[in-house]
């Protein structure tokens, strides 16, 4: 953070205000958010930091510290940038302009520890940090949920990913040592304390496979799910809005007529929603074994029915199955690469990391990165 502030002063010759915005891990409930289902994310201590201040002009001058790249744009003329990272920022600014909020130009230096393309929502952290900072700096009094929605829209319109609301919700509304049980249909939510942390560690393992190529597959999954709903609506003469409103009994009736791929997608989402409900109950009851078992089932569904895993993620999850010190493991995030999460008996964490790193190196010649995760508060200003 200190280096970002120094860099800001060196470049822009005035004093910045400092903000932070966390990435997220999703404990269970994958690809359910855009199907109006349930998710269980938590914001993590891999974060993005911002040194930012208005500059009394219409210009925005941005420096990405980690990439050592700068870019500029005018708030009067917002268009996509060739610098991919800046589209997340421009996308957020566009939401303020669209909403007729009064903002001016600003200078910003940002950077952080969230690996890019690893399924830990570096993009949401960037969007949410900028949205939160602009709201604060221009004294707009926008409530947090509206900021969440603005950040999500930025992703749709400028990053071209039709994502659900989970990542942005978690980044802004995360709470220390709690997961958020979020109903993406009506945004009802409740914090569930993670009481297991005395005995178990939540370890994130980065496969090193980037999911950047996966945007088109992600958007394809959204369409496939909608196709399933449309099919059932036509057959049933009903108006279901999303897979959230369907159940297994209903889709099973169409097992022979529904396209097999679409059937698998629908089955996965319906089952995963059930799992999130069970998993949050298990967490509340302190039943971490049950929670772990549900994580494995979730991974199986993502692998076999939703087809968003990859051989590296499957290997990492499979390795844990014979290790009695691991209660559960699954891929987390959009998939096609990125990370797995693992619930591991604390005292065996080091052994676990050593063993799995060696196996992974042997198999894929990739050096594993891992993160001993803490659950932290959502986006805020650093005083
Ligand atoms: C990405 C999206 C989220 C969610 C997950 C999959 O992270 O941004 O909205 O759909 O994938 O659960």
């Amino acid at each position: 953070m200190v280096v970002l502030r120094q860099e800001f002063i060196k470049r822009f010759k005035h004093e910045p205000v400092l903000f932070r915005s966390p990435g997220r891990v999703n404990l269970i409930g994958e690809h359910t958010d855009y199907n109006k289902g349930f998710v269980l994310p938590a914001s993590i201590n891999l974060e993005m930091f911002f040194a930012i201040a208005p500059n009394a002009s219409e210009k925005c001058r941005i420096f990405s510290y980690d990439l050592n790249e700068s870019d500029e744009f005018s708030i009067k003329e917002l268009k996509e940038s060739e610098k991919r990272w800046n589209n997340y920022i421009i996308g957020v600014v566009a939401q303020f302009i669209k909403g007729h909020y009064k903002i001016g130009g600003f200078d910003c230096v940002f950077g952080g520890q969230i690996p890019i393309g690893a399924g830990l929502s570096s993009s949401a952290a960037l969007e949410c940090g900028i949205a939160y900072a602009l709201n604060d700096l221009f004294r707009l009094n926008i409530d947090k949920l509206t900021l969440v929605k603005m950040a999500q829209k930025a992703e749709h319109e400028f990053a071209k990913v039709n994502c659900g609301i989970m990542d942005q919700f978690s980044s802004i509304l995360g709470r220390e040592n709690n997961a958020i049980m979020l109903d993406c249909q009506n945004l009802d939510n409740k914090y569930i304390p993670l009481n297991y942390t005395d005995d178990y560690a939540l370890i994130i393992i980065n496969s090193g496979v980037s999911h950047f190529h996966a945007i088109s597959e992600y958007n394809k999954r959204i369409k496939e799910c909608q196709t399933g709903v449309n099919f059932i609506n036509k057959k049933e003469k009903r108006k279901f809005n999303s897979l959230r409103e369907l159940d297994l009994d209903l889709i099973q009736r169409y097992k022979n007529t529904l396209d097999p791929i679409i059937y698998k997608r629908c089955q996965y989402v319906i089952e995963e929603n059930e799992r999130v409900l069970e998993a949050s109950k298990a967490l509340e009851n302190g039943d971490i074994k049950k929670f772990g078992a549900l994580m494995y089932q979730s991974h199986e569904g993502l692998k076999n029915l939703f087809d968003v895993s990859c051989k590296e993620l499957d290997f990492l999850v499979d390795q844990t199955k014979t290790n009695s010190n691991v209660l559960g493991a699954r891929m987390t995030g959009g998939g096609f690469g990125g990370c797995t999460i693992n619930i591991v008996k604390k005292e065996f964490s080091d052994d676990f990391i050593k063993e799995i790193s060696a196996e992974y190196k042997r198999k894929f010649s990739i050096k594993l990165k891992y993160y001993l995760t803490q659950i932290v508060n959502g986006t805020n200003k650093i005083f």
Side-chain angles (χ1 to χ4, degrees), residues 24 30-31 33-34 163-164 166-167 218 333-334:
R24 67 98 190 89
E30 220 62 83
H31 289 273
D33 60 354
Y34 55 79
C163 65
M166 167 172 72
D167 303 348
Y218 182 91

Side-chain angles (χ1 to χ4, degrees), residues 27-138:
L27 299 180
I28 196 162
E30 220 62 83
H31 289 273
T32 43
D33 60 354
Y34 55 79
N35 288 303
K36 305 282 179 244
F38 302 102
V39 290
L40 195 63
S43 43
I44 55 176
N45 59 334
L46 294 171
E47 303 177 316
M48 197 81 94
F49 299 97
F50 304 82
I52 179 169
N55 59 18
S57 80
E58 287 171 356
K59 242 191 207 163
C60 301
R61 299 181 293 182
I62 320 285
F63 181 66
S64 162
Y65 187 85
D66 299 330
L67 299 176
N68 194 24
E69 281 183 5
S70 54
D71 203 10
E72 274 193 20
F73 59 92
S74 160
I75 56 165
K76 294 279 179 232
E77 201 191 332
L78 296 174
K79 52 180 190 304
E80 271 175 56
S81 168
E82 279 167 15
K83 305 242 164 63
R84 194 187 143 91
W85 55 266
N86 202 17
N87 285 325
Y88 297 108
I89 299 177
I90 300 171
V92 171
V93 172
Q95 302 313 314
F96 281 83
I97 304 291
K98 266 194 185 171
H100 305 290
Y101 295 111
K102 260 198 148 182
I103 60 165
F106 57 91
D107 298 326
C108 174
V109 174
F110 74 94
Q113 323 119 325
I114 312 174
I116 295 172
L120 301 176
S121 291
S122 57
S123 53
L126 177 53
E127 292 149 1
C128 292
I130 294 290
Y132 192 99
L134 294 183
N135 181 40
D136 182 280
L137 295 172
F138 293 101

Side-chain angles (χ1 to χ4, degrees), residues 280-336:
S280 33
K281 254 187 230 140
L283 261 192
E284 283 175 322
N285 297 337
D287 190 349
I288 306 305
K289 277 209 175 118
K290 171 89 191 277
F291 190 83
L294 290 162
M295 285 170 73
Y296 281 122
Q297 288 173 24
S298 168
H299 187 83
E300 283 303 298
L302 287 159
K303 174 184 164 194
N304 299 321
L305 300 175
F306 217 64
D307 292 311
V308 292
S309 187
C310 63
K311 59 183 188 312
E312 292 85 354
L313 292 171
D314 295 340
F315 179 86
L316 288 171
V317 170
D318 285 345
Q319 285 301 302
T320 68
K321 287 183 179 161
T322 49
N323 185 339
S324 58
N325 298 320
V326 182
L327 265 59
R330 59 184 288 276
M331 55 153 273
T332 189
F336 306 104

